[in-house]
Structure formats: structure tokens, C-alpha cells
């Protein structure tokens, strides 16, 4: 997430910019949305975790059968899944009538490792 006033990168969920002190869109509860990333439990590719980033900020490691979530401002966001084989980027857009999104991710087995594959995207 980036500050709308100075352009400095700020941590996900920050209510104020650490550089200039300006309030972020997240400081207004009416401007909030949620991103949920769910990894299904699978037998194949279960041991290979994916690193997940939202707008270049590290969200966490997505392992077999886990869920990661974060609060974000409404608007456009890039969700990046990093793996040893191929990185996958999905752009999502949260609006007032679609404040929450769930991305269901499964590992797709390649020659040497698994790469992330988005099975389903559902807006709430």
C-alpha cells in the first residue's frame, strides 16, 4: 500500500503514513475491504509453501490447508504468489458493494515443483 499524500510505501493495515503522518484510506472504516487467500488441502504439492504479497507488502507463507487475510482500502490491489517455479499475480478490485474477496489457491504440479494456480475468486 502506498501513501496518497507522499507516495511512500506503508505497511498493510496502517492507519497513518509513517513518513508524512497523513491518514490512509484504511483510517476510514467506510473505505475498508478484506482480502482472504485460502489454500486447499491437497496431497500433491502439499509440502511446497507459497509466499503471498499484497501490493508489494509481504502477507505471509501460504501452506497446505491455511488461510491468510488482510484489511485493505477499497480499490485496486495486486496479489502476488511467489513459488520456486512460477510467480502468479492477480489483480483484484474492491468496491463499496464488493468489499471482500476470497481467492482459492491450489498447487499445480510442474516438472520439479508446484506453482500456484487460482481455482476460484469470489467477491462478497
Amino acid at each position: 500500500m502506498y501513501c496518497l499524500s507522499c507516495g511512500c510505501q506503508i505497511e498493510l493495515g496502517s492507519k497513518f503514513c509513517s513518513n508524512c503522518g497523513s491518514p490512509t484510506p484504511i483510517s476510514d472504516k467506510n473505505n475498508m475491504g478484506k482480502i482472504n487467500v485460502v489454500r486447499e488441502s491437497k496431497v500433491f504439492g502439499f509440502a511446497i509453501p507459497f509466499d503471498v504479497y499484497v501490493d508489494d507488502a509481504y502477507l505471509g507463507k501460504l501452506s497446505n490447508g491455511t488461510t491468510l487475510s488482510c484489511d485493505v482500502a477499497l480499490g485496486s490491489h495486486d496479489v502476488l504468489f511467489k513459488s520456486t517455479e512460477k510467480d502468479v499475480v492477480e489483480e483484484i478490485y474492491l468496491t463499496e458493494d464488493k468489499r471482500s474477496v476470497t481467492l482459492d489457491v491450489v498447487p499445480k504440479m510442474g516438472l520439479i515443483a508446484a506453482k500456484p494456480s487460482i481455482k476460484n475468486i469470489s467477491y462478497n
Side-chain angles (χ1 to χ4, degrees), residues 14-15 23-33 72-74 99:
S14 295
K15 292 185 179 182
T24 65
I26 252 178
S27 63
D28 180 2
K29 293 209 184 271
N30 293 327
N31 213 13
M32 299 273 295
V72 294
L74 298 181
R99 292 184 176 269

Side-chain angles (χ1 to χ4, degrees), residues 60-81:
K61 201 166 280 295
L62 192 63
S63 301
N64 198 32
T66 60
T67 299
L68 297 173
S69 297
C70 67
D71 295 326
V72 294
L74 298 181
S76 179
H77 300 280
D78 287 331
V79 180
L80 168 67
F81 300 92

Side-chain angles (χ1 to χ4, degrees), residues 92-120:
I92 57 156
Y93 196 79
L94 299 177
T95 62
E96 287 187 17
D97 58 331
K98 295 179 181 179
R99 292 184 176 269
S100 178
V101 64
T102 300
L103 292 94
D104 295 314
V105 181
V106 294
K108 193 170 196 174
M109 294 307 294
L111 292 174
I112 300 171
K115 61 183 174 184
S117 176
I118 299 171
K119 182 178 176 182
N120 186 44

Side-chain angles (χ1 to χ4, degrees), residues 39-48 64-65 106-109 114:
R39 180 163 167 182
E40 292 183 1
S41 294
K42 290 284 185 183
V43 174
F44 295 108
F46 71 92
I48 302 165
N64 198 32
V106 294
K108 193 170 196 174
M109 294 307 294

